[in-house]
Amino acid sequence: MRELNMVRPGKFRWLERPEPQLVEAGDAIVRPFIVGRCDGDQIATSAALLRVVRAAQRARLLDPILLNAFGHTPYRQPCAIGHECVAEIVEVGSAVTDLTVGDKVVVPYQVSCGLCDNCQRGLTGKCTTTRSQPDGSERVLSWYGHGHATGPFGGMASDLVRVPYAEHMLIRVPDRVDPLRIAAASDNLSEAWRVTVPHLRHRPGARVLVVGGLERAVGLYAAGISATHGARVDYCDSSTQRLQIAESLGAVPIPRPSLLRFPKPSQHYDIVVDASNLQPGIVYATRSVAPGGVCVVPSYHLAIRTGLPMMQLTFNDVDLHVGMSHPASTLTDVLAWVADNDFPAEKVTTKVADWEDAPTAYGTRTTKLVLYRSPLN
């Protein structure tokens, strides 16, 4: 079978791999037919950015946990790629009784068992079972599509994928939802739901600011989800295309002159979502929070120092929420919310490419790329 790999920075190729087999009775084999390119995959798709990240890590300019998580050479090639997918089940193990061949499912990007203490607490991204290694140590992350350091799971841009703990991991697609609408549910869409809906439930009628930037799709989903939930939403970005998408999703666009230049905060918001991935972005975000408000950070700030204005947070009683999404524990709610609210997440998709064109399409400079092939059923 074929598996899409980064073979050198910014370059991709189908590589032949053995077909996955059922190893445990609780496994399933799935056939991805939709793969979304996550915001985080920008590092692998940009040769220049990946070289900068690798050089910065060697110079010890990045947070030390990144070395433990991704190894001395992040995305060491060949690196199986892709970690957002909608798939159909083609085979199940003997212990799998709640899923059947032909079911359309979303596969969370983090591999988790659903049974350990962390999984039971909802921290499926920190599953102790799947992070355990034969020598008794623990890897930091167990993810699809991020290279050898995050586990032996391969990438989702593959003809077939083995999924362990299938009854926990695989979430059925509701009948009333177009699978293309939820192309990013494995990661970006679930992340945007996590940083908005739970906070909006406690703050009806809230004013929301989404700070766009390198976390492109997450920021747009967050803006659209907030507006659909009834919030008054401003969206700040330097990209004309993303400002237009945000406006189509119900947000008020706030243009800024460039990726790295942010306006001086002139308004204050109950909820601020920092989707910038940029040091000046998180400073702008935190200084834009109203007293008693919340700043939620879905973006990855890699540098060892972020410049957070701690006294600003202190004097204004701001709650700062930082963390990963844990889609295996939230996907059922996310998909139900999308269905119940008829949320047009597909507006964020800026390019749908044919599955066969994946090696050239995956490096396309666009906000949200989706690979597609027809399902078997």
Side-chain angles (χ1 to χ4, degrees):
M1 72 148 202
R2 300 172 307 168
E3 177 187 73
L4 188 66
N5 274 242
M6 183 191 75
V7 292
R8 65 180 188 272
K11 299 296 181 182
F12 303 87
R13 184 186 306 156
W14 290 118
L15 298 183
E16 287 295 324
R17 301 293 190 213
E19 284 198 7
Q21 305 294 319
L22 297 173
V23 176
E24 304 289 345
D27 291 354
I29 306 296
V30 303
R31 176 184 181 268
F33 63 95
I34 294 172
V35 167
R37 188 183 67 189
C38 169
D39 290 331
D41 284 344
Q42 293 175 80
I43 295 175
T45 56
S46 168
L49 183 56
L50 181 53
R51 291 187 182 108
V52 167
V53 168
R54 288 175 173 176
Q57 180 157 288
R58 288 193 298 270
R60 300 184 180 182
L61 298 176
L62 304 185
D63 193 293
I65 197 171
L66 294 167
L67 176 63
N68 297 327
F70 297 108
H72 289 279
T73 305
Y75 297 95
R76 177 167 58 88
Q77 61 264 20
C79 174
I81 205 74
H83 62 275
E84 291 182 341
C85 89
V86 182
E88 54 192 334
I89 298 174
V90 297
E91 189 176 1
V92 296
S94 59
V96 178
T97 59
D98 290 342
L99 298 165
T100 59
V101 171
D103 282 349
K104 306 296 189 299
V105 292
V106 177
V107 187
Y109 76 101
Q110 303 154 336
V111 185
S112 58
C113 71
L115 299 172
C116 69
D117 288 345
N118 280 352
C119 284
Q120 289 293 301
R121 293 166 57 203
L123 301 175
T124 51
K126 300 300 291 183
C127 173
T128 54
T129 304
T130 60
R131 291 187 301 117
S132 297
Q133 303 195 78
D135 63 1
S137 64
E138 282 189 345
R139 63 173 63 90
V140 177
L141 308 167
S142 288
W143 290 359
Y144 286 102
H146 283 78
H148 307 278
T150 61
F153 308 108
M156 291 182 180
S158 301
D159 286 338
L160 296 170
V161 174
R162 171 181 167 258
V163 181
Y165 309 102
E167 290 193 346
H168 159 68
M169 283 279 290
L170 299 179
I171 312 300
R172 282 193 187 89
V173 176
D175 292 338
R176 52 205 169 125
V177 175
D178 181 349
L180 278 169
R181 170 165 283 188
I182 54 168
S186 302
D187 187 355
N188 286 175
L189 183 58
S190 292
E191 176 77 317
W193 183 92
R194 176 187 73 88
V195 300
T196 53
V197 172
H199 299 285
L200 288 164
R201 285 172 177 164
H202 296 294
R203 292 175 169 84
R207 291 208 63 199
V208 176
L209 171 66
V210 176
V211 184
L214 298 180
E215 199 85 351
R216 300 166 182 171
V218 170
L220 290 170
Y221 291 133
I225 289 171
S226 299
T228 300
H229 203 80
R232 296 168 293 166
V233 185
D234 289 344
Y235 175 84
C236 179
D237 206 331
S238 59
S239 164
T240 300
Q241 181 190 56
R242 292 196 294 273
L243 289 165
Q244 291 172 347
I245 294 172
E247 188 171 23
S248 76
L249 289 167
V252 176
I254 300 178
R256 63 177 192 262
S258 69
L259 181 66
L260 294 171
R261 292 179 61 192
F262 290 80
K264 184 177 180 180
S266 58
Q267 301 183 62
H268 293 93
Y269 301 83
D270 305 299
I271 300 171
V272 177
V273 178
D274 167 44
S276 71
N277 274 22
L278 298 164
Q279 187 272 339
I282 195 170
V283 173
Y284 169 67
T286 50
R287 292 194 182 279
S288 298
V289 185
V294 58
C295 181
V296 196
V297 186
S299 54
Y300 289 99
H301 290 272
L302 308 184
I304 199 166
R305 293 181 177 84
T306 61
L308 272 174
M310 293 304 299
M311 291 311 298
Q312 176 84 19
L313 301 175
T314 300
F315 285 172
N316 282 312
D317 288 294
V318 172
D319 288 335
L320 181 65
H321 285 253
V322 181
M324 299 189 299
S325 64
H326 300 278
S329 65
T330 61
L331 263 168
T332 299
D333 291 337
V334 172
L335 298 180
W337 190 92
V338 170
D340 292 343
N341 291 276
D342 195 25
F343 178 61
E346 69 277 6
K347 287 186 177 183
V348 176
T349 300
T350 50
K351 181 177 178 63
V352 178
D354 186 88
W355 188 269
E356 297 302 318
D357 296 332
T360 53
Y362 215 80
T364 304
R365 294 174 65 90
T366 192
T367 291
K368 187 68 180 181
L369 169 76
V370 171
L371 303 177
Y372 177 80
R373 60 179 171 175
S374 297
L376 296 175
N377 300 301

